[in-house]
Amino acid sequence: MAAQWRSGEPDTANQSPPFVDVDLYASDRPLQSAVAGNGAGGEAAALAAFGKHWGSAEMFDLARQANENPPILRAFDGKGFRRDIVEFHPAYHRFMADSVAAGLAASTWRDDATPAPAPAQVARAARFYMAAQIETGHLCPITMTRAAVAALAAAPALVAGLMSKIMSRAYDERLRPWWEKRGITLGMGMTERQGGTDVRTNTTRAEPASEGYVVTGQKWFMSAPMCDGFLVLAQAPGGLTCFFMPRFRPDGSVNALHFQRLKDKLGNRSNASSEVAFDEAFAVRVGEEGRGVRTIINMVQLTRLDCAIASAGIMRMALAQALHHARHRTVFQKHLSDQPMMRAVLADMALEAEAAVALVMRLARAFDLAAGDAREAARARLLTPAVKYWVCKTAPLFIDEAMECLGGNGYVEESVLPRLYREAPVNAIWEGSGNVMCLDVLRAVSHEGEAARAVLGALAAEAADLPGARETADFIAGALSAADAEAQARSAVGCLALLAAAAALRHCSAPQVAELFARTRLAVRHGAMYGTADIAPNDAGLLLERALPSV
Ligand SMILES: Cc1cc2nc3c(=O)[nH]c(=O)nc-3n(C[C@H](O)[C@H](O)[C@H](O)COP(=O)(O)OP(=O)(O)OC[C@H]3O[C@@H](n4cnc5c(N)ncnc54)[C@H](O)[C@@H]3O)c2cc1C
């Protein structure tokens, strides 16, 4: 019997079936190519299992629940005593448990806090990219936990104690001292009310005490407040310094982190972001006094990589939803996906999404190899801000277009697109906003000029046979070293990411895809809208089949 729509009317269909129970790995050839091309092909079976689980109808529904039921701050109890706890919906805890169990918070480290061997970064990046397609909010404490290890390395005794809890694959949501827990998560508090980017304006003070330091001040944004400890910047006698601030003091009493309120955010609703006051809170120094930025930047470099991976992931989900719908919806006697103009839009988007995943996986590969290869370390240093800039700034526009592919359905919550759309801008803002990423590229060029030029030369060589590569490399070199480099930086850094994307596609994708990307993004400037690139019908077919097999 045909399914019925309200009040007994027959279901006239022409609606796409739900896009659930999707194998996020097997249905994504660009991801498979990027994984194989960056040394993690041996992980294919495990990634396929991960993709099947995360793409299940159950996980889609849990994501809806986690975001429809945002966290609640319980600052006080009924008698006015401080509680300072945040309650999350069970669906959020489920995502946390699954991500921790899959190693997203730790698998790029060894037990001694040294980097795990390749392809740990690429294999984790592939999982992170798939998880982000389903639920992004919970990935905030996940990314901070794994990244914190890079900063904590400056405090060997501390990290030695914490490491077994960080490496644990058990998620323990209880508010208990970290040493009593099965596993822990870590956050970060840098941004203050008077300045986020310019952390030198931090006013939070740290005074040496008989044990550790006593920290007093505020943070205007501190996400995932139920983490077990935070890396915090504060002004010590010797200057801005990085500290580890646990939720409990060594004597087992609750530490003085007082949450003032939770931010009412555009998106990222499953995740809590707090305003917090430190009232003589206990903290342990990480690294030398006065070297706070240098210490915490090692963490930030990793969270920036994850921002780009997550944005590539949500672009992927938006594209897959759009393509799925267009293949089922008929207008004027044809499937939407066969209407020439819609095909042009989808193919152009598929090309962009394939470039994004190739780019972030190649960057993850650079992190995999950085410890033993100075050229790869230089690549990671120069390209992380450029890739974060381009991918995270691209995602909101991309998702807007994907939403439109579903017509009115795309604007309605059940379609998932509104959540992806609200989620997208935050990756461009936090961990350093767009301009700040461009300034960071300029900093790399001015401080490590020779290494940066070598990276640019390598990218130009890798993309040498692609249209526009040489001219793009020349433009970047000129613009980044010009007298008015800051004014030109967005243009130059955008081109740097595009050149790196072309090189990444050349390395791991089908040759036509790399050629098409370069022809429509390097040899000419791509228009502001998708669907304006010159892509022949056969090439469009290739791109769409790679993006999502039609059977
Ligand atoms: C949801 C959410 C969660 C967050 N969670 C955390 C957290 O857990 N921990 C934490 O520490 N922070 C957190 N943040 C804060 C975030 O990292 C900052 O908002 C961000 O770094 C920007 O800092 P700001 O807001 O002070 O803006 P500002 O520093 O005032 O910057 C405003 C704008 O000016 C631009 N700009 C800055 N300097 C220059 C320059 N020299 N030239 C040109 N342009 C410039 C920036 O790119 C930005 O676009 C969070 C933010 C959000 C939205």
Side-chain angles (χ1 to χ4, degrees):
M1 200 174 87
Q4 291 205 327
W5 188 64
R6 293 173 202 147
S7 62
E9 284 179 49
D11 182 355
T12 51
N14 199 22
Q15 291 282 355
S16 52
F19 188 66
V20 290
D21 289 326
V22 189
D23 186 330
L24 299 179
Y25 191 71
S27 64
D28 189 343
R29 278 190 61 199
L31 173 61
Q32 293 164 34
S33 297
V35 163
N38 289 294
E43 291 271 334
L47 292 174
F50 184 94
K52 228 174 177 155
H53 168 59
W54 279 79
S56 67
E58 184 197 10
M59 294 297 263
F60 275 94
D61 196 52
L62 285 169
R64 176 189 62 74
Q65 293 179 42
N67 286 277
E68 283 181 2
N69 298 283
I72 298 170
L73 171 62
R74 307 283 179 205
F76 298 96
D77 70 9
K79 307 270 168 58
F81 294 109
R82 292 218 72 105
R83 288 190 71 204
D84 292 309
I85 61 165
V86 178
E87 290 172 354
F88 291 88
H89 190 266
Y92 170 89
H93 290 305
R94 168 69 190 279
F95 282 113
M96 288 296 292
D98 281 13
S99 283
V100 169
L104 297 190
S107 61
T108 56
W109 302 109
R110 289 190 174 107
D111 291 343
D112 63 356
T114 57
Q121 291 276 358
V122 173
R124 174 190 174 276
R127 290 180 174 87
F128 199 82
Y129 166 85
M130 289 189 273
Q133 294 176 39
I134 302 300
E135 211 296 299
T136 318
H138 82 285
L139 293 176
C140 172
I142 294 292
T143 181
M144 290 194 293
T145 302
R146 87 101 179 196
V149 176
L152 286 167
L158 177 64
V159 78
L162 291 169
M163 214 50 203
S164 66
K165 306 291 181 181
I166 295 172
M167 294 299 281
S168 165
R169 297 290 174 100
Y171 169 62
D172 188 340
E173 68 187 66
R174 297 170 305 154
L175 181 64
R176 290 272 189 287
W178 65 261
W179 55 92
E180 291 178 8
K181 295 184 66 166
R182 293 190 301 276
I184 61 171
T185 54
L186 301 175
M188 170 173 71
M190 293 200 288
T191 308
E192 297 190 1
R193 227 171 134 194
Q194 70 283 357
T197 302
D198 190 359
V199 289
R200 289 166 306 178
T201 65
N202 273 195
T203 57
T204 296
R205 304 213 63 80
E207 301 295 338
S210 53
E211 193 176 17
Y213 285 70
V214 169
V215 178
T216 304
Q218 47 82 24
K219 294 293 167 186
W220 185 233
F221 280 92
M222 198 173 81
S223 288
M226 292 307 281
C227 283
D228 298 286
F230 300 86
L231 288 173
V232 165
L233 290 183
Q235 302 286 359
L240 194 64
T241 304
C242 181
F243 293 92
F244 174 68
M245 185 183 286
R247 283 300 302 273
F248 288 80
R249 296 191 184 92
D251 65 5
S253 62
V254 178
N255 204 4
L257 288 78
H258 298 321
F259 303 124
Q260 309 297 296
R261 59 175 178 166
L262 298 186
K263 302 288 191 185
D264 184 6
K265 296 176 287 185
L266 167 69
N268 197 248
R269 292 191 157 262
S270 66
N271 179 36
S273 300
S274 70
E275 293 166 17
V276 61
F278 306 137
D279 185 9
E280 299 192 348
F282 165 80
V284 179
R285 181 164 48 80
V286 178
E288 291 170 32
E289 281 194 8
R291 292 179 68 86
V293 173
R294 275 178 184 260
T295 303
I296 210 160
I297 201 71
N298 295 324
M299 170 178 187
V300 173
Q301 189 81 338
L302 290 174
T303 55
R304 287 176 179 171
L305 167 65
D306 280 357
C307 286
I309 298 169
S311 281
I314 53 181
M315 285 168 66
R316 162 70 196 172
M317 176 51 68
L319 172 68
Q321 295 272 0
L323 195 43
H324 169 79
H325 182 77
R327 284 195 178 133
H328 289 87
R329 179 82 161 178
T330 302
V331 284
F332 304 112
Q333 287 87 47
K334 265 190 191 172
H335 280 132
L336 264 176
S337 55
D338 294 326
Q339 297 285 2
M341 205 182 333
M342 181 58 93
R343 219 171 158 70
V345 170
L346 290 167
D348 206 5
M349 291 173 68
L351 187 53
E352 196 101 311
E354 180 148 2
V357 70
L359 187 56
V360 297
M361 292 300 156
R362 177 62 185 89
L363 182 57
R365 173 77 170 159
F367 277 86
D368 256 336
L369 302 178
D373 185 336
R375 287 166 310 175
E376 292 293 329
R379 185 183 282 248
R381 168 65 190 94
L382 184 73
L383 293 188
T384 300
V387 170
K388 179 185 185 285
Y389 170 71
W390 182 71
V391 178
C392 298
K393 297 293 284 179
T394 298
L397 297 171
F398 184 100
I399 294 161
D400 165 58
E401 194 66 65
M403 178 156 49
E404 195 169 323
C405 292
L406 277 80
N409 284 356
Y411 198 69
V412 174
E413 286 295 332
E414 287 102 324
S415 77
V416 176
L417 270 302
R419 174 149 51 82
L420 299 180
Y421 184 67
R422 286 193 300 268
E423 196 66 43
V426 77
N427 281 330
I429 294 174
W430 62 13
E431 306 305 320
S433 309
N435 288 355
V436 175
M437 291 302 90
C438 296
L439 289 172
D440 195 39
V441 171
L442 291 181
R443 195 171 306 118
V445 170
S446 91
H447 292 185
E448 297 138 73
E450 202 175 313
R453 281 187 292 278
V455 173
L456 186 56
L459 293 174
E462 289 163 24
D465 58 349
L466 296 175
R470 169 52 51 202
E471 296 78 1
T472 304
D474 290 346
F475 166 72
I476 297 165
L480 289 180
S481 57
D484 64 342
E486 266 193 44
Q488 295 192 48
R490 275 196 172 218
S491 183
V493 172
C495 284
L496 177 61
L498 292 174
L499 181 64
L505 287 169
R506 184 79 189 79
H507 171 67
C508 68
S509 185
Q512 302 100 297
V513 176
E515 223 276 333
L516 275 172
F517 185 82
R519 192 157 55 67
T520 57
R521 267 88 172 160
L522 299 186
V524 294
R525 272 187 184 258
H526 189 271
M529 308 291 174
Y530 291 100
T532 56
D534 178 18
I535 299 175
N538 279 352
D539 290 332
L542 170 92
L543 289 167
L544 298 181
E545 257 333 285
R546 284 181 66 77
L548 193 69
S550 49
V551 283

